Amino acid sequence: MPQFTAPLRDMRFVLHEVFDAPSLWARLPALAETVDADTADAILEEAGRVTAQLIAPLSRSGDEQGALWQAGKVSTPGGFRQAYATYTEGGWVGLSGNPQYGGMGMPKMLSVQFEEMLYAADSSFALYSALTSGACLAIEAHASEALKNTWLPPLYEGRWAGTMCLTEPHAGTDLGIIRTKAEPQADGSYAISGTKIFITGGEQDLTENIVHLVLARLVDAPAGPKGISLFLVPKIRLAADGSLGAANAVSCGSIEHKMGIKASATCVMNFDGAEGYLIGEPNQGLAAMFTMMNYERLSIGIQGIGCAETSYQNAVAYARERLQSRAPGGAQCADKAADPIIVHPDVRRMLLGMRAMNEGGRAFASYVGQQLDLAKYAENADERSSAAALVALLTPVAKAFFTDNGLEACVAGQQVFGGHGYIREWGQEQLVRDVRIAQIYEGTNGIQALDLLGRKVVGNRGVALRQFTAEIRRFAGQPVAPYAHELAEAVERLESISDWLIVQAAGNPHAVGAASVEYLQLLGYTAYAWLWARMAQVAGSRRSEDEAFYSAKLATAEFFFRRLLPRTLALEAGIRAGSTVLYEMTPEQF
Amino acid sequence: MPQFTAPLRDMRFVLHEVFDAPSLWARLPALAETVDADTADAILEEAGRVTAQLIAPLSRSGDEQGALWQAGKVSTPGGFRQAYATYTEGGWVGLSGNPQYGGMGMPKMLSVQFEEMLYAADSSFALYSALTSGACLAIEAHASEALKNTWLPPLYEGRWAGTMCLTEPHAGTDLGIIRTKAEPQADGSYAISGTKIFITGGEQDLTENIVHLVLARLVDAPAGPKGISLFLVPKIRLAADGSLGAANAVSCGSIEHKMGIKASATCVMNFDGAEGYLIGEPNQGLAAMFTMMNYERLSIGIQGIGCAETSYQNAVAYARERLQSRAPGGAQCADKAADPIIVHPDVRRMLLGMRAMNEGGRAFASYVGQQLDLAKYAENADERSSAAALVALLTPVAKAFFTDNGLEACVAGQQVFGGHGYIREWGQEQLVRDVRIAQIYEGTNGIQALDLLGRKVVGNRGVALRQFTAEIRRFAGQPVAPYAHELAEAVERLESISDWLIVQAAGNPHAVGAASVEYLQLLGYTAYAWLWARMAQVAGSRRSEDEAFYSAKLATAEFFFRRLLPRTLALEAGIRAGSTVLYEMTPEQF
């Protein structure tokens, strides 16, 4: 059974030492009163306790039992209800929510650490509240004050849960062709009718009510993505006094049988003239939903890091204990029948690869969290908009790069176990199954890459990208920056390819899609290089304070630069091959 | 539900057009009478029918039901018994077996095509007979004539099945520390006692008897790998007249719950003084077992290709039908709500990547099969030993490279389906779960890489490697060879890195293990480059005969060289980073 221990020391390293988050918080009025270093540490500590002790022990039994559907009702696995009650009592659902509606108002930079722990403990459990947080954001950003006052407090409190209802059987990536319809009613509400699939937590037994955010078309809406509106559709309608009233015409037709996240109910939801309330303006639903999507995309990215962290911890523990063969240079434990497999270079290569990508990811998630906090709380409008531009640029990278690396790390962690990694007992195979969905949902990683290269880079002719690379160049330009040469080379490569792609895209509609996935990875490795150089700088300056901890950071940085960053060479060559090689065959020739 | 159609046209292309196998068969006396082009085609056609129509339909229900253990008995899923009976009646188990003992004597080059179809249809089903074929080889190569006459015919016939019993709870990769013991009995047999785990098909209800090949230690054996002997231990002993007699002291204690290949029973086997018969010489068991292991390694490699082929076929079918968004250059199917996703560059990138690696793998498996046939049947001793050297060099590459690419292709095929790839219904997620084991069993891919670089390259100072690269250089040196420049560059890179590693290994015990996995992949990509150039040469020369077929080959070759071969750049850089970066941390620091 997998063990998870919250990596608190590593998280404090990133938050306090690399990014000096407490100083930032102190200068942002909305956060200055709310959080400081001690508060943050106390929250992390408690989060570590809750996730490792309350939630992680449910992961395997949750996978084995799965969510069950019977006659329209969904039961979560044994222990989930009690754990969810304890969890919501702790206020975790509203950790970074708006205090005006009952949230705790904590910075995103802190909550990304918490989200990592939550996914590390159990992805299925995490999803039930992850969507609630996202739904709250969309409601807060776009709904009327009346809707906010009614629906946000019980959501932040965790008594009710949120969902996002986008996909239909014929419409996944392409939301422009959805068919669910909304008919205006005399009382100002709308009657929502249609079928949605792949609805995470569409039905469950954890909360008293469920608040569905549903994309639908008004009867007179224009065709395509500009005719979609967003509605709040509760499972149970509210009586005049705000208490739970009659059931709405919303039902769960079945749940999916999936590769993993089996304890998370993935529902087919039928809306049969259900009562719903318009959020924001008519036909502006996609934009409103994207407030939620962008939040979820970072969160789902972090699922990749969380699963990978648990896989890493278990692989290290196994590699230290499993005795098999002798070290290449001669026996290390001559008193035992064999040496622990952590002596072998290839086992170390796998472990260091996981470690370097997980810690790089954690730093990147924290950086995006920092920019989210700045975009929300900075006093200066320029600072807010500059941070928002970085968030827009980096969110698809976080979602796709974290989860691609998450799968790679979980597969590596399984491989360290040999045959024992393939059987249920050790939990490594569950992590592979659970993490795999994160590359698919919330917009496939291919779609993230199109968003990045098409909209965020080519779309603004590289302005946001230059803003980001300028920050890296500033770091690399310091007289004492570690890995300055490698960083400069990596940034040069990224910029030069970006420029080339902007030119290509002007004359070739396939140029973006042909390069996008490799481009996203190239940007990801370059960003991690910058973050690893920053971490190495801090570790180098503090090494004498804690030799074991900081020298491990330096060793991992070195591994990243020597063994992983060179992957950009292949990515560059793949991108420069262009799109022609993709279009030499007709669909029939495949 | 996944569909599989045997890729007969592609297989004939490789066999007849690229390798001209019938000419080779005609000049090898043992094969000249047995097989020609027409026989081979008829066998392939029938194999395609059996695998696609008899076996493939059992794959999903087999996964859902799984193998069941109750009170020591194992039941295979519904339909397996009848299908296995039909399958063995067709003589497929002994397809390339020795005719002297009831085999069909077909060339390995043909049977690798069959194996691919079998794994493509269902990995679990395939395993029941794959191990039988391997056991037969080991018995034939090392057992006494009496044992051969007794045990081989019913095995080749498929009435009985074979297993390989190596792993023990504390001993997987490190077979030197196994504890199962063998005590000589007065009648010349041995009493075998011990526990073996991860025994594929250790118990099942498909065959009348099961023949376990068991590694054990004689009571007076020296410690370590040189004290291991190989025994044949039947589930049911034979009466004096050769009919089935009393049960042996062999029992199945339980089966594993696994990520995939759920219809394949993975057994804990207990030997309690079971009657066994020595195969070959005492203390020479590992070498004898390696006859089986090497056979299985190629077979398991082919599992990677087979699963990937099914994943590809389904992904292409889905990509042609699923309508979602418009082509980047404008609507292709203006009469529909959206275009089929095969118009999108990133979908094509995934499909072409699968295709290029699957077809490269098929050609490589066929080449190794050809060398196996030469090693076995060539009249000239030099030709035999030269082929055997190539087999030794390339078997670990086949096992690891096919299966690493198999996972990559199955994950890509799942990704093409978006959310539908993650649910059970379409079968893509099962392929990911099923193929994953192939990177682990029969020696993990890390162990294959060590075998390749340590034993097969550094161990003979690159002699076998030069033999292989000389063949590539001969091809690239032709005046009209396609991709001659790219091939020359790739071979140059491989040879230069090999030379460098041979020097490194002399002074550094970690040099081999630090580079081995990337080295194996580098060799794999280089070999595929050669094979794709050969395929392109044939396709180019025949293009006018079947434009659609051959131009697709040329397009896939072009994709391979432009988008995939550049991965060698990153592999080279990773290798040259050396081993120091792996040893800067103590085990506690991880």
Side-chain angles (χ1 to χ4, degrees):
Chain A
M1 172 139 162
Q3 296 292 321
F4 165 66
T5 308
L8 298 178
R9 177 69 187 91
D10 291 307
M11 288 177 167
R12 288 199 304 268
F13 170 71
V14 170
L15 269 187
H16 299 330
E17 302 174 43
V18 178
F19 288 110
D20 190 13
S23 297
L24 172 67
W25 300 336
R27 82 167 170 86
L28 301 175
L31 293 176
E33 297 291 301
T34 313
V35 63
D36 59 14
D38 288 347
T39 314
D41 286 352
I43 288 175
L44 289 179
E45 194 121 346
E46 180 62 11
R49 205 188 58 74
V50 167
T51 51
Q53 292 174 28
L54 178 75
I55 299 169
L58 298 172
S59 187
R60 175 152 173 215
S61 55
D63 180 62
E64 287 177 4
Q65 295 171 37
L68 293 177
W69 181 94
Q70 197 171 27
K73 299 288 175 205
V74 168
S75 319
T76 55
F80 269 53
R81 288 193 62 164
Q82 300 85 323
Y84 201 79
T86 307
Y87 171 77
T88 55
E89 274 162 30
W92 297 107
V93 178
L95 184 64
S96 57
N98 188 339
Q100 196 185 333
Y101 304 104
M104 281 172 65
M106 288 296 152
K108 188 71 192 171
M109 217 177 171
L110 185 63
S111 81
V112 296
Q113 318 302 325
F114 169 63
E115 288 171 67
E116 183 194 319
M117 298 184 214
L118 194 60
Y119 284 109
D122 186 51
S123 289
S124 289
F125 189 97
L127 287 167
Y128 287 107
S129 64
L131 286 151
T132 303
S133 312
C136 288
L137 273 192
I139 293 169
E140 197 184 323
H142 303 285
S144 67
E145 202 55 42
L147 285 176
K148 286 197 254 190
N149 285 321
T150 305
W151 299 96
L152 283 178
L155 283 168
Y156 275 137
E157 204 182 320
R159 273 195 298 127
W160 301 351
T163 78
M164 51 197 296
C165 300
L166 286 72
T167 303
E168 299 180 8
H170 69 293
T173 293
D174 189 358
L175 292 170
I177 57 175
I178 63 164
R179 294 176 192 146
T180 296
K181 65 179 183 196
E183 292 172 291
Q185 305 296 299
D187 64 357
S189 73
Y190 292 80
I192 311 292
S193 300
T195 297
K196 297 287 182 176
I197 64 168
F198 299 161
I199 308 309
T200 300
E203 177 56 33
Q204 33 81 356
D205 59 0
L206 302 175
T207 61
E208 297 165 8
N209 201 0
I210 300 175
V211 177
H212 303 288
L213 297 198
V214 183
L215 289 183
R217 297 190 164 282
L218 290 167
V219 280
D220 57 353
K226 290 179 177 153
I228 296 175
S229 305
L230 181 62
F231 298 89
L232 186 158
V233 184
K235 173 184 173 183
I236 301 174
R237 287 178 292 167
L238 303 187
D241 64 355
S243 66
L244 293 177
N248 205 351
V250 179
S251 61
C252 173
S254 63
I255 62 175
E256 306 291 348
H257 298 279
K258 310 186 298 294
M259 182 183 195
I261 54 164
K262 290 178 188 256
S264 168
T266 305
C267 303
V268 175
M269 298 303 298
N270 299 311
F271 298 87
D272 300 307
E275 186 171 305
Y277 319 107
L278 183 67
I279 295 180
E281 298 300 311
N283 301 330
Q284 302 291 317
L286 269 190
M289 188 58 105
F290 265 93
T291 301
M292 180 165 185
M293 291 280 280
N294 277 325
Y295 175 92
E296 295 297 340
R297 283 178 173 179
L298 177 58
S299 177
I300 290 309
I302 294 170
Q303 181 183 356
I305 305 174
C307 291
E309 172 67 22
T310 301
S311 183
Y312 171 74
Q313 291 187 13
N314 284 286
V316 167
Y318 190 80
R320 284 195 193 117
E321 284 170 20
R322 174 75 171 173
L323 304 177
Q324 209 75 179
S325 304
R326 289 300 180 188
Q332 300 281 304
C333 304
D335 57 323
K336 295 184 174 146
D339 291 329
I341 61 174
I342 201 166
V343 303
H344 296 294
D346 189 52
V347 172
R348 286 177 162 252
R349 181 189 63 81
M350 291 190 275
L351 295 176
L352 279 162
M354 298 169 77
R355 183 181 168 89
M357 297 308 281
N358 294 359
E359 296 191 13
R362 182 178 298 132
F364 191 85
S366 302
Y367 177 73
V368 177
Q370 184 190 51
Q371 299 307 312
L372 279 163
D373 289 332
L374 284 168
K376 192 169 175 182
Y377 296 122
E379 291 191 286
N380 178 310
D382 283 352
E383 196 174 5
R384 284 200 304 275
S385 72
S386 154
L390 285 176
V391 168
L393 177 77
L394 300 179
T395 295
V397 182
K399 195 281 183 180
F401 199 56
F402 293 173
T403 59
D404 283 349
N405 297 322
L407 180 71
E408 188 178 324
C410 289
V411 166
Q414 184 183 27
Q415 195 72 17
V416 169
F417 278 72
H420 296 275
Y422 195 69
I423 62 175
R424 196 156 211 170
E425 186 181 352
W426 293 87
Q428 296 296 83
E429 64 87 29
Q430 184 188 337
L431 289 167
V432 174
R433 289 186 288 104
D434 283 355
V435 81
R436 179 68 184 93
I437 187 59
Q439 299 173 287
I440 298 173
Y441 60 12
E442 296 302 326
T444 66
N445 286 1
I447 292 297
Q448 305 299 325
L450 280 179
D451 178 45
L452 170 69
L453 181 55
R455 252 179 270 173
K456 311 293 175 58
V457 175
V458 171
N460 69 16
R461 300 195 59 80
V463 171
L465 179 82
R466 293 282 167 171
Q467 185 189 336
F468 182 59
T469 54
E471 188 160 358
I472 303 181
R473 285 190 181 279
R474 270 194 300 280
F475 176 86
Q478 297 171 96
V480 292
Y483 301 108
H485 172 70
E486 291 84 350
L487 260 185
E489 203 174 74
V491 167
E492 180 61 36
R493 173 174 294 123
L494 176 62
E495 288 181 340
S496 134
I497 288 198
S498 304
D499 291 344
W500 182 78
L501 283 168
I502 290 168
V503 172
Q504 296 297 308
N508 173 2
H510 297 140
V512 165
S516 48
V517 164
E518 275 109 334
Y519 180 83
L520 184 146
Q521 292 178 347
L522 184 72
L523 200 163
Y525 281 109
T526 307
Y528 280 24
W530 167 56
L531 293 162
W532 267 116
R534 290 182 65 168
M535 291 193 273
Q537 189 177 47
V538 173
S541 70
R542 302 192 167 199
R543 185 163 182 165
S544 62
E545 296 169 33
D546 184 347
E547 171 68 21
F549 180 79
Y550 292 111
S551 69
K553 293 279 175 263
L554 292 167
T556 311
E558 182 72 6
F559 180 86
F560 178 84
F561 277 95
R562 302 295 164 237
R563 297 289 294 236
L564 301 180
L565 187 58
R567 292 180 181 178
T568 50
L569 297 170
L571 295 168
E572 174 177 22
I575 293 169
R576 295 219 187 251
S579 67
T580 313
V581 292
L582 301 175
Y583 284 91
E584 294 182 356
M585 282 162 62
T586 64
E588 295 69 33
Q589 281 183 289
F590 275 84
Chain B
M1 172 140 162
Q3 296 292 321
F4 165 66
T5 308
L8 298 178
R9 177 68 187 92
D10 291 307
M11 288 177 167
R12 289 198 305 268
F13 171 70
V14 170
L15 269 186
H16 299 330
E17 302 175 43
V18 178
F19 289 110
D20 190 14
S23 297
L24 171 67
W25 300 336
R27 82 166 170 87
L28 300 176
L31 294 176
E33 296 293 300
T34 315
V35 63
D36 58 13
D38 288 346
T39 314
D41 286 351
I43 289 175
L44 289 179
E45 194 121 346
E46 179 62 11
R49 206 189 56 76
V50 166
T51 51
Q53 293 175 27
L54 179 74
I55 299 170
L58 297 172
S59 188
R60 175 155 173 211
S61 55
D63 179 62
E64 286 176 6
Q65 294 172 38
L68 293 177
W69 180 95
Q70 196 171 28
K73 299 288 175 206
V74 168
S75 318
T76 54
F80 268 53
R81 289 194 62 165
Q82 299 86 322
Y84 201 79
T86 307
Y87 171 78
T88 55
E89 274 162 29
W92 297 107
V93 179
L95 184 64
S96 57
N98 189 337
Q100 196 185 334
Y101 304 103
M104 282 173 64
M106 288 296 151
K108 188 70 192 172
M109 216 177 170
L110 185 62
S111 80
V112 296
Q113 318 302 326
F114 170 62
E115 289 171 67
E116 183 194 319
M117 297 185 213
L118 194 58
Y119 285 110
D122 186 51
S123 289
S124 289
F125 189 96
L127 287 167
Y128 286 108
S129 64
L131 286 151
T132 303
S133 313
C136 289
L137 273 192
I139 293 169
E140 197 183 323
H142 303 285
S144 68
E145 203 55 43
L147 286 176
K148 287 196 255 190
N149 285 322
T150 306
W151 300 96
L152 283 177
L155 282 169
Y156 275 137
E157 205 183 317
R159 274 195 297 125
W160 301 351
T163 78
M164 53 196 297
C165 300
L166 287 71
T167 303
E168 299 181 7
H170 69 293
T173 293
D174 189 358
L175 291 169
I177 57 175
I178 63 164
R179 295 179 191 142
T180 297
K181 65 180 183 196
E183 291 171 291
Q185 305 296 298
D187 63 357
S189 73
Y190 293 80
I192 311 293
S193 300
T195 297
K196 296 287 183 178
I197 63 169
F198 299 160
I199 308 309
T200 300
E203 178 56 32
Q204 33 81 356
D205 58 0
L206 303 175
T207 60
E208 297 166 8
N209 201 0
I210 301 175
V211 178
H212 304 288
L213 297 198
V214 183
L215 289 183
R217 296 189 165 284
L218 290 167
V219 280
D220 57 353
K226 289 178 178 155
I228 296 175
S229 304
L230 181 63
F231 299 88
L232 187 159
V233 185
K235 173 184 174 183
I236 299 173
R237 288 178 292 167
L238 303 187
D241 64 356
S243 66
L244 294 178
N248 205 351
V250 179
S251 61
C252 173
S254 63
I255 62 175
E256 305 291 347
H257 298 279
K258 310 186 298 294
M259 182 183 194
I261 54 165
K262 290 177 188 257
S264 169
T266 305
C267 303
V268 174
M269 297 304 297
N270 299 311
F271 298 88
D272 300 307
E275 186 171 303
Y277 320 107
L278 183 68
I279 295 181
E281 298 301 311
N283 301 330
Q284 303 291 317
L286 269 189
M289 188 57 104
F290 265 92
T291 300
M292 180 166 184
M293 291 281 279
N294 277 327
Y295 176 92
E296 295 297 341
R297 285 178 172 178
L298 178 57
S299 176
I300 290 309
I302 294 170
Q303 182 184 356
I305 304 174
C307 291
E309 171 67 22
T310 301
S311 183
Y312 172 74
Q313 291 186 13
N314 284 285
V316 167
Y318 189 80
R320 285 194 194 118
E321 285 170 18
R322 173 76 171 173
L323 305 177
Q324 209 74 179
S325 305
R326 289 299 180 189
Q332 299 281 304
C333 304
D335 57 324
K336 295 184 175 147
D339 290 328
I341 61 174
I342 202 165
V343 303
H344 296 294
D346 189 52
V347 172
R348 287 177 162 252
R349 180 189 63 81
M350 290 189 276
L351 295 176
L352 279 162
M354 297 170 76
R355 184 182 167 89
M357 297 308 282
N358 293 359
E359 296 191 14
R362 181 178 299 133
F364 191 85
S366 302
Y367 177 72
V368 177
Q370 183 189 53
Q371 298 308 311
L372 278 162
D373 289 332
L374 284 168
K376 193 167 173 183
Y377 297 121
E379 291 191 286
N380 178 310
D382 282 353
E383 196 174 6
R384 286 200 303 275
S385 72
S386 154
L390 285 176
V391 169
L393 178 77
L394 300 179
T395 296
V397 181
K399 195 279 183 181
F401 199 56
F402 293 173
T403 59
D404 283 350
N405 297 323
L407 180 71
E408 188 178 325
C410 290
V411 166
Q414 185 183 29
Q415 195 73 16
V416 169
F417 277 73
H420 296 275
Y422 194 69
I423 63 176
R424 197 156 211 169
E425 186 181 351
W426 293 87
Q428 296 295 83
E429 65 88 29
Q430 183 187 338
L431 290 166
V432 174
R433 289 185 289 105
D434 282 355
V435 80
R436 179 68 184 92
I437 187 59
Q439 300 173 288
I440 298 173
Y441 61 11
E442 297 302 324
T444 65
N445 286 1
I447 292 297
Q448 305 299 326
L450 280 179
D451 178 44
L452 170 69
L453 181 55
R455 251 179 270 173
K456 309 295 175 56
V457 175
V458 170
N460 69 15
R461 301 195 59 80
V463 171
L465 179 82
R466 293 283 166 172
Q467 185 188 336
F468 182 60
T469 53
E471 188 160 358
I472 303 181
R473 285 190 181 280
R474 270 195 300 279
F475 176 86
Q478 297 171 96
V480 292
Y483 301 108
H485 172 70
E486 290 83 349
L487 260 185
E489 203 175 72
V491 167
E492 180 62 35
R493 173 174 294 124
L494 175 62
E495 289 181 339
S496 135
I497 287 198
S498 304
D499 292 344
W500 182 77
L501 282 168
I502 290 168
V503 173
Q504 297 297 309
N508 173 2
H510 296 140
V512 165
S516 48
V517 165
E518 275 108 335
Y519 180 83
L520 186 147
Q521 292 178 346
L522 184 71
L523 201 163
Y525 281 109
T526 308
Y528 281 24
W530 168 56
L531 293 162
W532 266 117
R534 288 182 67 169
M535 290 193 274
Q537 189 176 47
V538 173
S541 70
R542 301 192 168 199
R543 185 164 182 164
S544 61
E545 296 168 34
D546 184 348
E547 170 68 22
F549 180 79
Y550 292 111
S551 69
K553 292 279 174 262
L554 291 167
T556 313
E558 182 72 5
F559 181 86
F560 178 84
F561 277 95
R562 303 296 164 235
R563 297 289 295 235
L564 300 180
L565 187 59
R567 293 180 180 178
T568 51
L569 298 170
L571 294 168
E572 174 178 23
I575 293 168
R576 295 219 187 251
S579 67
T580 313
V581 291
L582 301 175
Y583 284 91
E584 293 182 357
M585 281 161 64
T586 64
E588 295 70 31
Q589 280 183 289
F590 275 84

